[in-house]
Amino acid sequence: MNIHDINNRLQNELTGLYDEREAASIADWVMEKITGWKKVDRVVNKQVALSSGQKEQLEKYTSELLQYRPVQYVLEEAWFMGLRLLVNEDVLIPRPETEELAAWILTDNAHGATPKRILDIGTGSGCIPIALKKNRPEADVYACDVSRQALALAATNARLNNADVLFMHCDVLDDLSAASLPYADLIVSNPPYIPVSNQSSMQRNVLDFEPSLALFVSNDDPLLFYKKIADIAAKRLNKDGGVYLEIHEEAGASVIGLLKEKGFNTIELRKDMQGKDRMIKAVY
């Protein structure tokens, strides 16, 4: 079989798990990884057959994909604001909504207004601080996580992208640990915010593979991490500093109310490209 036929077969196999558009996107990503050719090059060379090594790769990838394993984990890579990042089951897969959050920060802090020190709480793959450092190299960028495995991967991603980010191990739910965090002019976080009760409505590729530690929060205290981040900001944020948060689409009013109680006086809620309340900026 040639490249064209194999791409169509893979897409058809994936259509049973994903909608047609997503299946086509995944098949395209896999074929690019295997052949090293962009789509236009594969069209030109559509009659070319795969080598035996490429066929083995394809069989391995297909087997994992048909078990609902996300393509980013299968290929061990994801893209965030044009940056290639390594990913595995120790970290969340970077999402477009998080790109929007990072882009908001960059837009707000353009034209010489870059904060001197930025702190990312719950960094995961390191996508946010790496993107910020690459776009604002003059800033000192710090990032923390409770998972040492995530920190190791984030540090690798920073090296691969030539981004000088300082990573720290920290459990922000522990006051003593949180006290080790640096003072900052800007704090950003995409913390766990999905109530455990939402699990029943979520897709298998998320539930079975992405780290629950980074996804879910107790039904009894869904704003737990926002409370802790607000407390940290009250102690570690420099004058006129700002906090940027990714939130659950149904939690906008609750998070705003919490931030007001914690002393934030300027709060802005922003929708993502899908029209969902997803991001908040607050000035302390």
Side-chain angles (χ1 to χ4, degrees), residues 6-16 20-21 23-25 27-28:
I6 289 172
N7 183 86
N8 288 342
R9 185 184 72 179
L10 177 59
Q11 184 175 334
N12 289 335
E13 288 181 303
L14 294 173
T15 302
E20 187 173 336
R21 183 176 179 180
S25 178
D28 179 66

Side-chain angles (χ1 to χ4, degrees), residues 9-159:
R9 185 184 72 179
L10 177 59
Q11 184 175 334
N12 289 335
E13 288 181 303
L14 294 173
T15 302
L17 280 68
Y18 303 95
D19 63 48
E20 187 173 336
R21 183 176 179 180
E22 190 170 6
S25 178
I26 293 172
D28 179 66
W29 196 345
V30 170
M31 293 305 295
E32 181 176 327
K33 179 75 171 184
I34 290 173
T35 64
W37 285 337
K38 297 287 187 182
K39 190 170 185 176
V40 63
D41 299 310
R42 296 198 306 275
V43 171
V44 172
N45 296 281
K46 64 181 181 179
Q47 298 300 327
V48 173
L50 295 183
S51 68
S52 58
Q54 289 172 325
K55 289 178 182 177
E56 288 180 10
Q57 269 189 307
L58 177 65
E59 290 177 6
K60 177 180 180 295
Y61 292 160
T62 302
S63 174
E64 294 180 12
L65 288 167
L66 293 178
Q67 296 177 54
Y68 289 90
R69 193 176 183 213
V71 63
Q72 293 91 340
Y73 290 154
V74 172
L75 303 184
E76 300 181 332
E77 66 179 15
W79 292 85
F80 186 86
M81 300 189 76
L83 302 172
R84 177 178 174 269
L85 303 173
L86 302 181
V87 293
N88 58 31
E89 281 87 340
D90 291 323
V91 300
L92 290 182
I93 296 166
R95 300 297 203 277
E97 306 92 280
T98 310
E99 286 191 335
E100 292 182 67
L101 179 66
W104 188 8
I105 293 171
L106 293 173
T107 300
D108 275 0
N109 297 280
H111 311 300
T114 301
K116 293 181 179 179
R117 182 173 290 175
I118 298 170
L119 170 63
D120 176 37
I121 295 177
T123 195
S125 65
C127 59
I128 293 175
I130 292 170
L132 295 180
K133 182 64 178 181
K134 292 294 289 185
N135 285 276
R136 298 290 183 270
E138 66 274 25
D140 293 327
V141 181
Y142 294 74
C144 71
D145 204 289
V146 69
S147 167
R148 294 188 184 278
Q149 292 89 342
L151 287 171
L153 187 63
T156 298
N157 282 327
R159 288 194 296 272

